[in-house]
Amino acid sequence: METTTLEEFYKETASLIPEGISKEIGHFNVFKIDEVAAQLKVKPVMPYNRRAYYKISHISGRNRAEYADKVIHIEKNALLFATPKIPYHWVPQDENQAGHFCIFTADFLVQTKSGVVLDDLPIFQPGGYPIFQLTDEASEDIAYIFRKMDKELASNYAFKYDLLRNYVLELIHYGQKLQPETALYPSHTASARVSSLFIELLERQFPIESPHQKLSLRTARDYAERLAVHVNHLNKVLKESTGKTTTDLISSRIVQEAKILLKQTDWNISEIAYSLGFEEVAHFSNFFKKQTAFTPIAFRS
């Protein structure tokens, strides 16, 4: 199954990709559905695949959303939450499509900035309730949040991205309040508990607040030993619940922290490499470039 990257999304929608998108700590953007549809020049059918980003959409119009285990028909207004873990197919049923949508990466809502772990939120859990049909009143509430996003993104306010994170969280909590009460309580199966404990243990390593601080857990085996499970079992559980391997999750979180340290501290590259568990600067540089396509120095500049 193909995964649509941010760059591919911008190419497909003929939207202008923000300059230096790959050099930001996280990415966020907001769009008007009718404007994107006009740029596409055709009915905006989305293929059945995964996206490499999160998406929240406020949609007015008749539509059909197709998932592996269900098909959801939208008659008027809806709020949709999409996660990179769950593929879906979106099919408009008429030409009268309006509303907004925003896209963002996991880095944009990294816990040290937002206070939440995205994949722990009920709204983004597999098997959950990703689409909510809205009353006219609720639809206007959501539209107002998106209008604030649109206005703020165009502003010159120095802390606008902090404000935009709050708007995204407001949408997430609005959606979670619409969920059936049972969906708000996570599963307590053995696998779910291992996955949850891993995420908690991973996040506990951060933030790195001093160049003399060093990650105590660095590899999949380190985490498996701390959780008292076999490394293969840990990998299987995480692959099933997140779609990623243990090493992928650890690497992704280290890259998030590396980006923050490169942008928001004056530590030298050697100090950052050491604090993130790399004994050699060259190893850190190779790792960072493989993950981001930039060297640490180029990303910082």
Side-chain angles (χ1 to χ4, degrees):
M1 183 181 298
E2 294 184 359
T3 297
T4 302
T5 66
L6 275 172
E7 287 76 6
E8 289 166 341
F9 163 80
Y10 279 99
K11 184 177 180 180
E12 289 170 1
T13 59
S15 302
L16 291 176
I17 187 167
E19 185 177 353
I21 179 175
S22 299
K23 297 180 70 174
E24 295 300 320
I25 291 173
H27 179 72
F28 173 88
N29 210 343
V30 63
F31 302 87
K32 294 179 180 176
I33 289 174
D34 55 348
E35 292 180 357
V36 172
Q39 289 172 328
L40 288 171
K41 307 295 185 187
V42 294
K43 184 186 281 189
V45 176
M46 294 183 182
Y48 183 79
N49 62 11
R50 297 178 186 268
R51 281 84 182 166
Y53 47 86
Y54 293 80
K55 182 178 182 181
I56 304 176
S57 306
H58 173 229
I59 302 156
S60 294
R62 293 181 58 249
N63 292 273
R64 185 176 75 248
E66 300 174 352
Y67 292 82
D69 60 343
K70 54 183 168 281
V71 175
I72 301 174
H73 294 274
I74 306 301
E75 294 303 322
K76 190 175 182 182
N77 302 313
L79 180 62
L80 178 149
F81 294 84
T83 161
K85 294 188 295 185
I86 304 173
Y88 68 98
H89 184 203
W90 185 262
V91 187
Q93 300 297 288
D94 60 36
E95 301 299 324
N96 301 316
Q97 302 291 316
H100 287 80
F101 66 90
C102 66
I103 60 174
F104 55 94
T105 59
D107 289 4
F108 182 70
L109 284 186
V110 64
Q111 187 181 29
T112 51
K113 289 284 187 180
S114 67
V116 301
V117 178
L118 268 178
D119 289 340
D120 278 357
L121 295 172
I123 202 78
F124 292 121
Q125 293 299 310
Y129 296 78
I131 300 177
F132 306 95
Q133 307 224 34
L134 302 172
T135 64
D136 289 341
E137 181 181 1
S139 184
E140 178 51 37
D141 288 345
I142 299 300
Y144 177 61
I145 298 172
F146 273 103
R147 288 196 295 269
K148 289 195 295 183
M149 284 181 170
D150 214 12
K151 182 178 180 181
E152 197 57 50
L153 191 61
S155 78
N156 294 320
Y157 179 48
F159 302 99
K160 68 180 181 182
Y161 285 103
D162 290 330
L163 194 49
L164 286 164
R165 286 185 187 92
N166 287 334
Y167 292 154
V168 172
L169 289 172
E170 188 174 356
L171 288 174
I172 289 171
H173 288 300
Y174 199 109
Q176 290 188 161
K177 287 169 68 177
L178 294 173
Q179 285 189 311
E181 188 173 341
T182 54
L184 297 178
Y185 297 93
S187 167
H188 291 288
T189 65
S191 293
R193 178 167 172 74
V194 169
S195 180
S196 177
L197 287 173
F198 168 79
I199 296 297
E200 180 182 341
L201 193 56
L202 177 63
E203 287 300 330
R204 207 183 295 161
Q205 311 303 306
F206 305 96
I208 302 294
E209 297 177 326
S210 162
H212 303 295
Q213 181 182 345
K214 187 177 182 181
L215 290 183
S216 58
L217 302 176
R218 185 66 177 76
T219 68
R221 190 169 298 279
D222 291 339
Y223 282 89
E225 290 177 355
R226 184 65 64 86
L227 294 170
V229 297
H230 193 280
V231 66
N232 291 345
H233 176 66
L234 177 61
N235 201 53
K236 179 176 180 291
V237 165
L238 293 175
K239 187 73 173 176
E240 289 174 350
S241 64
T242 70
K244 297 180 180 181
T245 66
T246 313
T247 299
D248 288 341
L249 291 167
I250 296 169
S251 296
S252 176
R253 187 62 185 87
I254 289 173
V255 167
Q256 285 181 1
E257 195 69 12
K259 288 180 176 180
I260 292 170
L261 295 176
L262 287 165
K263 288 290 188 180
Q264 299 183 1
T265 75
D266 59 0
W267 305 354
N268 62 44
I269 305 299
S270 178
E271 290 173 326
I272 293 174
Y274 174 81
S275 69
L276 293 175
F278 295 88
E279 297 300 333
E280 300 289 339
V281 175
H283 293 165
F284 170 63
S285 295
N286 291 337
F287 166 81
F288 191 84
K289 186 172 184 179
K290 182 179 179 181
Q291 298 288 328
T292 68
F294 290 94
T295 65
I297 293 174
F299 181 83
R300 172 172 263 177
S301 61

